[in-house]
Amino acid sequence: MMASGYSTKEEDGHITVSGPGGGALRGKKPENTAFKQQRLPAWQPILTAGTVLPAFFIIGLIFIPIGIGLYVTSNNIKEFEIDYTGVNMSSPCFNCSQNFSWNSTRPCTCSIPFYLDQPYENNVFMYYGLSNFYQNHRRYVKSRDDSQLNGDLQSLKTPSKECEPYAEHDNKPIAPCGAIANSMFNDTLELFYNDPNGTKVPIPLTATGIAWWTDKHVKFRNPGENANLTAVFQGTMKPVNWRKPVYELDSDPQNNGFINEDFIVWMRTAALPTFRKLYRIIHKKNNMVPTLPRGNYTLEVVYNYPVRSFEGRKRMILSTISWMGGKNPFLGIAYITVGSVCFFLGVVLLIIHHKYGNRNNSADISN
Amino acid sequence: MLRRRLNRLLGGDERRVDSRTIYVGHRSGSTNEAINPPKFCDNRIVSSKYTVWNFLPKNLFEQFRRIANFYFLIIFLVQVIVDTPTSPVTSGLPLFFVITVTAIKQGYEDWLRHKADNEVNKYPVTVLEDGSRIRKESEKIKVGDVVEVDEDETFPCDLILLQSSRDDGTCYVTTASLDGESNHKTHYTVPDAERDLESLNATIECEQPQPDLYKFVGRMHIYTNNQEPAVRSLGPENLLLKGATLKNTQKICGVAVYTGMETKMALNYQGKSQKRSAVEKSINAFLLVYLCILVSKALVCTTLKYVWQSKPGQDEPWYNEKTDTEKNIPLGVKVLTDFLSFMVLFNFIIPVSMYVTVEMQKFLGSFFITWDKDFFDPEIQEGALVNTSDLNEELGQVEYVFTDKTGTLTQNNMEFIECCIDGFQYKYQDASSELDGFCVTDGPLNKLQQKAGREREELFLRALCLCHTVQVKESTEQDQGQADRLTDQVDGLGVDGEMPSPPQEQRGFIASSPDEVALVKGAMRYGFTFLGLESKNMKILNRNNDVEMYELLHVLSFDPVRRRMSVIVRSRAGDTLLFCKGADSSIFPRVRQEEVERIRMHVERNATEGYRTLCVAYKHLSEEEYRQAEEGLKEARLALQDREEKLMAVYNQVETGMSLIGATAVEDRLQEEAAETMEALQGAGIKVWVLTGDKMETAKSTCYACRLFQRHTELLELTVRTLEDGGRRREERLHDLLIEYHKKAVQDAPSVKAGVTRRSWSSANQDYGFIIDGATLSMVLNSSSESNSSRYKNLFLQICFNCTAVLCCRMAPLQKAQIVKMVKNSKGSPITLSIGDGANDVSMILEAHVGIGIKGKEGRQAVRNSDYAIPKLKHLKKLLLAHGHLYYVRIAHLVQYFFYKNLCFILPQFLYQFFCGYSQQPLYDAAYLTMYNICFTSMPILAYSLLEQHICLEVLLDNAILYREIAKNAMLRWGPFLYWTLLGVFHGLLFFFGVRYLFSNPALQDNGQVFGNWSYGTIVFTVLVFTVTLKLALDTRHWTWVNHFVIWGSLAFYVFFSFFWGGIIWPFLRQQRLYFVFANMLSSVSAWLVIILLILLSLLPEILLVVFRKPRGPRARQKNLVQSSVGGLQSPRSSARPLLMRTFSDESNTVF
């Protein structure tokens, strides 16, 4: 791709230490080494139109197919999104959002019907999405104690200062401490398929496999390996906003306490104020039936999580996944654009170059 | 006395008094006045900056005066005091390191200065005190002490000569280390003072110390036994300067008048001010821009933060409450804290590592100068020396070179080249087979006759032997000043080995002009040896080894106005002869015209070859004529008024009607390759000024020899001689001349653009050379009225700028510095370089941006005070054209690159603030923030800045014109800076928003799992590191294995480090932010794709630009060369794909 050549400087480029004779005895004569004389053999690439033009075409030719592939893949991903915040009067969750109070003992529930106009093949991933929620706020991001979450008993009793003001409550340490843990998303989302014959069929949602493997198995650990969690957490407080302590998050001991995957997912702070987090996976049962067939569904929400106070939004997202992840047309479009631009530039350069070269040739002749 | 006392009472300050009174030997002048010795400074020379006590505070103060250090200190303090997103260690540790290393280095340097000072100050001297001789340390000499100095010792302070061991009350002195003149000067004792020094009762009244070496005015009152005091006037001929060396005189006694820092030598030295390179100034300017960017970024963020927070629910939503202490902070403090936090968050935009890297680059880079074997001089067994590495890049920016003449341009080694007798050219040839060692070359006129008559030859040689003021050095020991002359003689012996006269070869000649020595030695080669002057008799050993005696009657001494000298001698036979030698212009009108034509041709040819030509004439004086002349001379010498004029009239009267015998050509041997070097410098667009303390004639011929002046160069002379020509007041004449020259050189000359090559402009219009001497210069600079002064200065500078070469002669050391300073501070503040070898050049070496010392014969002061020292003048070419050029390109790129890479490093972090509620959340992990400049991106640029050769050394040396491409700080002007800044902004935007749009759906893994904020930062950072490194790779034109190793190595290191850093739960970290983030990122195809896309997109404009940047001139030639070597292989392919393979460069078409 590059016109290049090794320079001719190699002739005395080999390291030769000047002998003990002629002047070197004074020890001052500079050594005649390639390095010291700045004559190291060197590759001197020269970028010219001739070398770069093919590169442009090659980039174009590679990027455009990739881009098309990405775009098609992204388009084939089925995604359904529903906002259940309950801002409008018409929204089923309006009441829940209006009457929210931290102290209410009775959970407010609402159910939102929706219609999938396409069957969802393969595994379907269920996300919850929050908007205008600053998980990446500095005060928020640092408000956690990773050694506590790693199962350190010392940190369990004396949470890090970073957790303030969610480190202690009633003079008891909070476990898990910090603002992140305290504000864990606690809406319960359930999905029902409205059979055409009128029955509501609950759709089985898997709550595992939603967090990074390394997080679940290494970074997050319950204190006091395999001991009774209730006993281990004795003497600690649940986070203020939680309804139940951390050791009661799930009945499955492999998904309880700090290694509860919902919790782990929440603890991975999002990059942007509008984000989605993986909530549940709907596994494909058999090859014959689509995971989510076309039809009517109902989303049952236990409305616990207030977002109205900061003008936030809550969404439920159903999405299939491809090799590139979730639906995102950006990459495909970007690749197609860059590929096209490269190709176009290649053509333009070629034309300019063609003319330029011709002019030069004629000039040479006239000279 | 009374006035002095009054002055003292009224003024109180000794300095305001225009004169000082010195009591010789501390004895009161008149008995009735009590000694009231005034206070003068002691004889200590201080060049060091610190003492043990003030070192720490003073050094720290000096260091923190640097804008950068101060800035980092502030950042560090902010981090300590305020709750900031990054830890104080990140900026405190590097700062501490930098400050400590610098302090140690400066402390060591100052210790060396202390040592050198002590060496001078503790030097033992002999002082006569009340009749006894006391050994004292030099620093203890007080004004008024009578000091004894032995032969070959240097004077410890400025002395008035009282007593000499020579009979005639004179002593010889060489001032080589002061003004570069290596000849012996005669100084005189004060008349009548030379008596018993113990009983001498005298006071000296003289002016306050001033730096002019050639000026001294004083009076000596000698009191004898209550008689009226005798008053003697004192002039520069009575003053022995500190630093000069006593020669040829056993010992002298003198009274100290100026001591220590008040000696003329010390006043001519200037404090070694810290030199800053233009690049550093550019860095500081850029730094200010980036500081502004930084502050405005912080301001924008702070403002927006409070705007954003003003909306309800944003500042403190239920999920993110503040602690009580945070809530209670007053608003003002909160705003300030936020502002400072933003500053700290963005402070990486000006990284301390840049300074470290720049320092390291300079330090390591300077080794290439010391290592260069081309700078090694086998004669002195030494290579180049780098005293300061701060100015490497300045070598690539030089616009004016100020060079000393003696010892720098020339070897200060006159050699007799040829002579012409009656129009026949005699050239002394090596390995001559002729009996007399005298050979005739084919002169154009000798068609009939091969030689002038033997009689004429001998007359000519006698004239050479007699017409001079040379003295023969009695002692045979080789002292410093004579060493070179003696070796020269030995050379001569080696050549004409047939001359069997070894005792004469031991002879050293001393003369005020080295030309005369050369002539006498020339005559000696041809068989006429001057044996010396013995009681008014000149002895000559002629060809037949007979001694001829001539009685020396009169010497009509040389002066620059007459430009000739004569002697009147009487031979044994009783003939009275006048021999005269001088410049052709002054001799030709005084000889018979028919003889002139025969010689004129030779003289002119010799002159154009750069030789110093002298014409020799003689005259037979009849008894009558001689008597008249003698009477005239006697009368004129006794005249009290206008003595000079009267003498001149008599001289002129005597020196008429002579007959021309011949002419000589003497070469002041130029340094090796001096002319080539000067030509290369001028080709590089550098203007060369010659500043010399030497005579105008000598200097001018050197300029011709160095091809600074060409034959067609029109010389504009502004010297004492031209000023006196008009017969009007000097001031008026000066004014007229300046106007006239200005009209000629500036107004009439079509505007010459700097880019035009010398050759083309010299062919198009007239070349001008400008000559000015010291006296005139001081008139120009210190004109009587203030307005005139600045106007003259302007005119003068404008003329000079339009001349191809400027010659300043008869310069005092400080005047040299003045000139340098004047040019340095003129419009556009050009970069100046001074080169010299003697102590007289020290002030100009210190004054210029770059000072270069030549490791010459005149001691080591110049070398010690220089920034760089090279063994020979010829090395200057490589130093500037190759090393300087490369250093400049390297450091300029380094600086721009550093700013660029930190801009696109920090810009995403800034943009992230818009998405994280202006909460100072860092985008990157702390480890990345710290390591980015230290590990990931520092090594490639360092390797680049040490090894890059965008044009290889040979091409740089062969094409001086390439030097102009980088002239005027071309790569660090606002244009390139803007380009780099825009590039940084473009990259920063691209990195951030590219990833931002990718993260519009953070489910990037094929298992549906999502990425968080640290993944976001890591992707941006990965793109950043790769782009920034590959950008440098694109800029690298010279890929040695080091570059390969370092560039690919740092990328590999980054990947390795990221895995490592994210692969372990670090017990000492409070948060495991990056745990497996990097590995997870790599498991996502989307992340890979976006990284590749963004890197490629960032580099695309760069590649495009490289293509469009048309290769020019020699660079293309070099490319052509490279291509043609590959071309043979490519050509078949290229014919198959002609369109694709063609390049934009016109040269490449010739390949195919």
Side-chain angles (χ1 to χ4, degrees), chain B residues 56 84 182 193 214 304 422 438 541 663 730 763 801 888 1144 1152:
Chain B
L56 205 65
T84 55
S182 56
Y214 306 112
L304 286 177
D422 271 0
F438 215 13
L541 190 71
R730 282 184 170 195
S763 61
F801 292 159
Y888 175 73
F1144 281 114
F1152 300 120

Side-chain angles (χ1 to χ4, degrees), chain A residues 3-5 9 23 26 28-32 35-50 52 56-57 59 63 66 70 79 102 125 127 132-134 136-142 144 146 150 160 162 164-166 179 183 209-212 214 218-219 241 268-273 276-278 305-306 309-310 321-328 330-331 334-335 338 342 345 349-350 352-354 356-358 360-361 364, chain B residues 83-85 308 313-315 318-323 326 368 370-373 376 380-382 883 890 912 915-917 919-921 947 949 952-954 994 996-1016 1034 1036-1042 1044 1065 1070-1072 1075-1077 1080 1085-1086 1089-1090 1092-1093 1096-1097 1100 1103-1104 1106-1108 1110 1118-1119 1122-1123 1126 1139-1144 1146 1149:
Chain A
S4 63
K9 289 181 186 177
R26 287 277 299 262
K28 279 200 169 174
K29 187 174 171 69
E31 284 173 57
N32 186 18
F35 176 69
K36 291 189 172 179
Q37 301 306 321
Q38 305 197 59
R39 280 169 204 285
L40 282 175
W43 175 57
Q44 295 173 309
I46 290 146
L47 284 175
T48 61
V52 170
F56 275 110
F57 284 110
I59 292 172
F63 271 35
I66 292 180
L70 280 168
E79 196 177 276
W102 287 110
F125 295 77
Y127 296 89
N132 205 24
F133 188 101
Y134 284 85
N136 56 7
H137 195 281
R138 181 159 74 98
R139 206 173 338 119
Y140 189 82
V141 169
K142 71 174 183 185
R144 65 193 286 163
D146 274 350
N150 197 232
S160 151
E162 306 279 351
E164 296 283 353
Y166 303 101
S183 59
I210 56 174
W212 290 10
T214 47
V218 189
K219 194 174 168 184
N241 289 348
R268 181 154 294 281
T269 47
L272 299 167
R276 63 174 69 175
K277 282 183 187 287
L278 190 53
Y305 205 71
S309 60
F310 52 87
I321 286 292
S322 72
W323 49 270
M324 58 168 278
K327 192 183 185 82
N328 188 357
F330 164 72
L331 261 186
Y335 262 84
V338 172
C342 275
L345 275 175
L349 286 182
L350 192 65
I352 294 173
H353 181 213
H354 190 52
Y356 187 92
N358 276 350
N360 248 342
N361 278 349
D364 280 353
Chain B
D83 164 49
T84 55
W308 180 77
Q314 300 284 46
D315 183 26
W318 63 265
Y319 58 83
N320 191 12
E321 282 170 5
K322 294 176 185 172
T323 58
E326 276 172 333
F368 284 117
T370 35
W371 283 338
D372 197 324
K373 69 175 161 49
F376 184 77
I380 57 171
Q381 288 287 312
E382 268 179 78
H883 285 284
R890 289 166 183 173
Y912 193 58
F915 295 88
C916 72
S919 58
Q920 301 116 28
Q921 169 64 21
L947 299 170
Q949 294 176 34
C952 62
L953 289 171
E954 286 78 8
R996 158 80 186 76
Y997 285 112
L998 184 76
F999 265 71
S1000 54
N1001 182 352
L1004 291 169
Q1005 282 181 290
D1006 56 0
N1007 55 9
Q1009 292 170 358
V1010 293
F1011 281 168
N1013 65 324
W1014 299 116
S1015 301
Y1016 190 112
L1034 270 183
T1036 306
R1037 289 275 155 283
H1038 192 79
W1039 285 82
T1040 64
W1041 63 265
V1042 184
H1044 280 290
I1065 299 277
R1070 229 180 276 146
Q1071 294 199 9
Q1072 313 295 332
Y1075 186 70
F1076 262 77
V1077 162
N1080 261 309
V1085 182
S1086 292
L1089 287 172
V1090 87
I1092 292 169
L1093 177 82
L1096 219 119
L1097 198 56
L1100 202 62
I1103 297 172
L1104 263 182
V1106 169
V1107 177
F1108 276 116
K1110 192 170 162 281
Q1118 179 197 15
K1119 170 195 296 182
V1122 174
Q1123 279 199 343
V1126 187
L1139 294 180
L1140 289 181
M1141 290 309 295
R1142 206 171 285 155
T1143 69
F1144 281 114
D1146 28 352
N1149 281 311

